[in-house]
Amino acid sequence: MSIFKRIFNIGKAETNAALNKLEDPIKMTEQGIRDLKSDLDKALQSLAEIKALAIRARNDHNSYSQKAKDYEKKAILLLQRAEKGELESTEADRLAQEALSKKKDNEGMAQQAATDKSKFDENISTMESKIKRLRQQISQYENELKTLKARVKVSTATKNINKQMAQIDSSSTVSMLERMKDKVAEEEALAESYGEIANESRSLDEEIDRALEDESPASDDLAALKAKLNQSKSE
Amino acid sequence: MTPLLISNMSFFKNIFGKKEEPKPFSRTPLDLDLGYIFEYDLRSWEVQAVYEYDWGDEDFSKEFKVSDGIDTYFLAVEEDDEVELVWSQKIPLAKIEGDIAEEIIQKERPPETIIYESKTYYLDEECPGYFHEKGEPEDQWTEFIAWEYYDESEHYNLSIEQWGERSFEASLGRVLAPHEISDILPRKL
């Protein structure tokens, strides 16, 4: 493989990869469905054309059959007039012959229209079954797209939640709590140490004062209670 | 074709191919037009003429002359709160009991009730309006007046129209449900 071909292949692969990244599968599917609907619409227009031809063929068959009947009636009328002597026999025969000839022509055209009509009906039937399949296909794709969209929504939401959860774990929130705990413990230890140091450095005067402080209202209460006990003993 | 080319085609198609989305699944009688084909009563009907009616106050309706190759009918379509459809055929005025035309000329309005083929129809509304056939010059609107009658069930309609001083037409119709008109196929003439 020549070096240029290899470089070209690398370029092609990279471009494809880049375009693949650009492609949104949902949007691509939606466009695909739109294209299918457009195809379906064209097929419907073709079906309409054939149905219109079938309607015309039925109309032709009807009008040619009617004309054929009219010519037959005219031929009968001509012969009846000849019988009644209202028309010369040879002239009546000639005209009746013409009328019957016209009748035959119209019958032929009516027959042709009937043949055309049945051909068109066959075409309609074939096209309708194809169109039915195309309709089903589009409906199926549309339903699949709906499901796909719902799945994408769910997965995006799940992904976002998981991402947030992951970010919470990895972020400093947990470690911050740990650090807070450590800091509080540190502060508590520090306070305790200060307390101990404070107790150790008390002076004599402070001890005296502290002993005197004990004569608090609580000491009075104690004295009162003792007096009460002594009184009950003497009784 | 390489994937690259296919991707490029779709890409450019997406950008430049924006046009009105086809609606093969959602065509209604309101979409009918000249040349369109639809199914009714197990027969295919072709729209052969489109008539437009202006009833005043921005109230418009359409009527389609349709044929299946043998019979010719008229499909009136009006969108009020919902789509109203009437499938009708012309009937001879003389077949309606009484001299309707003379009564309209004399009293300038028809009777409150009329009888056609032993069925009584009751006057529902008087509708003066303008008529225009699609394809004719846009300024060519003809003034006329219609009186709409319905039977007791309101499923059958009898319409009497006055065109000019002494020209009258009558038609007998059946009110259709929108789903009765199906398989509407577009057609470009």
Side-chain angles (χ1 to χ4, degrees), chain A residues 34-50 127 130-131 134-135 138, chain B residues 13 17 19-25 27 184-188:
Chain A
R34 271 198 293 275
D35 290 345
L36 274 178
K37 278 188 179 176
S38 177
D39 291 345
L40 175 61
D41 224 40
K42 280 174 197 157
L44 291 177
Q45 285 181 28
S46 305
L47 180 62
E49 288 298 336
I50 301 173
M127 275 204 82
K130 282 181 185 167
I131 283 170
L134 192 53
R135 273 181 196 274
I138 292 171
Chain B
K13 211 171 176 181
K19 52 184 178 183
E20 201 185 332
E21 197 178 329
K23 47 175 185 176
F25 292 101
R27 282 197 179 88
I184 295 170
L185 303 174
R187 194 159 149 251
K188 283 172 188 159

Side-chain angles (χ1 to χ4, degrees), chain B residues 143-156:
Chain B
E143 193 176 2
F144 79 110
I145 185 164
W147 290 276
E148 298 293 339
Y149 290 79
Y150 284 88
D151 73 334
E152 264 184 30
S153 71
E154 295 195 341
H155 291 143
Y156 290 91

